[in-house]
Amino acid sequence: LRANFSAIQNEAGFVSGLITVLHDITEQEKIDMERREFVANVSHELRTPLTTMRSYLEALADGAWKDEQIAPQFLSVTQNETERMIRLVNDLLKLSKLDSKDGHLNKEMVNFTEFFQHIIDRFEMTKEQNVTFKRKLPKTELFVEIDEDKLTQVLYNIISNALKYSPEGGQITFRVKEFDERIEVSISDQGVGIPKENVKKIFERFYRVDKARSRKMGGTGLGLAIAKEMVELHGGRIWASSQEGKGTTIYFTLPYERTQEDEWS
Ligand code: ADP
């Protein structure tokens, strides 16, 4: 224990302030530990592509550049690693913006159904996989106060994962449900799923169920951590449910006020 805690005694002489002091210390230690872990993770994530690039560049410098077959392959590896580092640094900048004051929201009243439709349309037009999209969205307008750019990022991160982990011929279902004080958005896929004990961890920074697989698919391990911070900034919640081999659903809520008019129409 630290020497700097002071016990608060009540009239009877019992110590009553100790617990709070101990709690503060462990809270601070937890923050320090998380910060150290984060820096270690970032360093590791950057070192991996850099050491890969170094060895490929060394091989090229040692003469591989003269080989018409090998040289383009080696250059393409270094290009991919550069792209990965750019994605990682961009994600880190997004997180650091969210942690700082720049993270404030630029909120506007938006018809969520329409906004969501546009985003799904964009994915449907550009997707390369053979995956079908199913929309279960309300026909009515649903006005919520959101930062469109941030919510676009949230949906982008969740939907790209659903596509990444979907099997050939799979289906992705998009749902919006309306409750009195919130809307609940969900995106379900029929992909590999996540082992039960890991489901909660996927929102942690750098957590991946399968590191090698995520890396191969270009993941940074930060997508869902960014989504979580953005949803929570809006006053919502985010969680997942998943069954291994069957699929995954990511849910999030946004505060919403059902108006009288909506009820009667
Ligand atoms: P990544 O860049 O690795 O995709 P994310 O933060 O987006 O990072 O996701 C963290 C991890 O959660 C992923 O590496 C993967 O293991 C798991 N995951 C996320 N979405 C899905 C999904 N739809 N199906 C299966 N696993 C998923």
Side-chain angles (χ1 to χ4, degrees), residues 38 129-130 160 174 213:
F38 181 68
Q129 301 94 319
N130 170 25
S160 347
F174 302 88
R213 190 188 167 125

Side-chain angles (χ1 to χ4, degrees), residues 4-263:
N4 61 351
F5 74 82
S6 51
I8 300 160
Q9 289 181 315
N10 63 15
E11 303 103 89
F14 286 113
V15 176
S16 59
L18 192 56
I19 305 248
T20 328
V21 175
L22 289 179
H23 176 78
D24 281 351
I25 292 171
T26 48
E27 198 54 30
Q28 187 54 44
E29 275 177 355
K30 202 174 144 231
I31 293 169
D32 286 349
M33 205 182 76
E34 277 172 4
R35 189 170 299 149
R36 276 197 301 273
E37 204 176 307
F38 181 68
V39 173
N41 272 328
V42 172
S43 315
H44 178 79
E45 293 293 331
L46 282 170
R47 199 178 52 187
T48 310
L50 282 169
T51 49
T52 307
M53 280 168 64
R54 183 175 59 191
S55 40
Y56 279 83
L57 288 172
E58 263 168 20
L60 282 164
D62 283 350
W65 66 273
K66 284 183 245 164
D67 189 318
E68 276 183 32
Q69 299 265 287
I70 290 176
Q73 278 176 33
F74 281 17
L75 283 170
S76 137
V77 171
T78 62
Q79 260 169 343
N80 285 338
E81 295 301 309
T82 314
E83 290 302 327
R84 168 195 310 293
M85 283 197 291
I86 292 173
R87 272 198 306 276
L88 179 65
V89 171
N90 282 338
D91 276 356
L92 287 169
L93 283 172
K94 274 176 214 150
L95 274 176
S96 109
K97 264 196 184 158
L98 286 169
D99 287 343
S100 73
K101 289 222 171 62
D102 295 350
H104 76 271
L105 297 174
N106 231 333
K107 281 201 206 165
E108 267 180 86
M109 278 306 239
V110 172
N111 175 12
F112 194 82
T113 335
E114 196 186 345
F115 165 76
F116 198 18
Q117 292 277 21
H118 284 317
I119 292 181
I120 305 170
D121 287 343
R122 227 182 300 158
F123 272 94
E124 198 157 38
M125 303 257 286
T126 54
K127 73 179 158 62
E128 284 161 6
Q129 301 94 319
N130 170 25
V131 171
T132 51
F133 281 10
K134 194 167 177 179
R135 308 177 195 214
K136 294 193 167 174
L137 310 178
K139 302 268 180 296
T140 51
E141 292 183 329
L142 277 183
F143 277 93
V144 285
E145 213 182 354
I146 54 165
D147 181 322
E148 277 200 63
D149 288 345
K150 295 213 164 56
L151 248 294
T152 302
Q153 181 77 60
V154 168
L155 289 166
Y156 179 89
N157 292 0
I158 299 172
I159 302 170
S160 347
N161 279 343
L163 277 169
K164 267 198 274 186
Y165 295 101
S166 274
E168 179 68 16
Q171 188 177 72
I172 298 180
T173 311
F174 302 88
R175 287 189 186 84
V176 177
K177 284 189 188 161
E178 179 188 352
F179 296 92
D180 279 347
E181 288 164 346
R182 65 180 191 281
I183 60 166
E184 184 188 283
V185 184
S186 66
I187 292 128
S188 310
D189 63 60
Q190 300 174 326
V192 288
I194 302 159
K196 207 169 170 204
E197 63 274 20
N198 302 331
V199 174
K200 280 210 173 118
K201 295 193 191 147
I202 61 171
F203 299 98
E204 290 171 14
R205 295 174 181 194
F206 292 117
Y207 183 81
R208 291 114 150 186
V209 176
D210 182 341
K211 267 212 152 105
R213 190 188 167 125
S214 155
R215 199 164 274 149
K216 210 164 67 199
M217 300 216 224
T220 62
L222 293 174
L224 289 178
I226 291 173
K228 180 173 193 265
E229 296 224 2
M230 288 180 167
V231 166
E232 287 176 353
L233 265 181
H234 279 85
R237 241 167 41 80
I238 187 165
W239 70 99
S241 80
S242 185
Q243 245 187 311
E244 262 189 290
K246 288 250 171 83
T248 302
T249 301
I250 306 285
Y251 300 87
F252 68 86
T253 60
L254 291 171
Y256 162 75
E257 267 175 61
R258 200 203 293 254
T259 59
Q260 288 256 311
E261 213 178 304
D262 295 333
E263 274 167 37

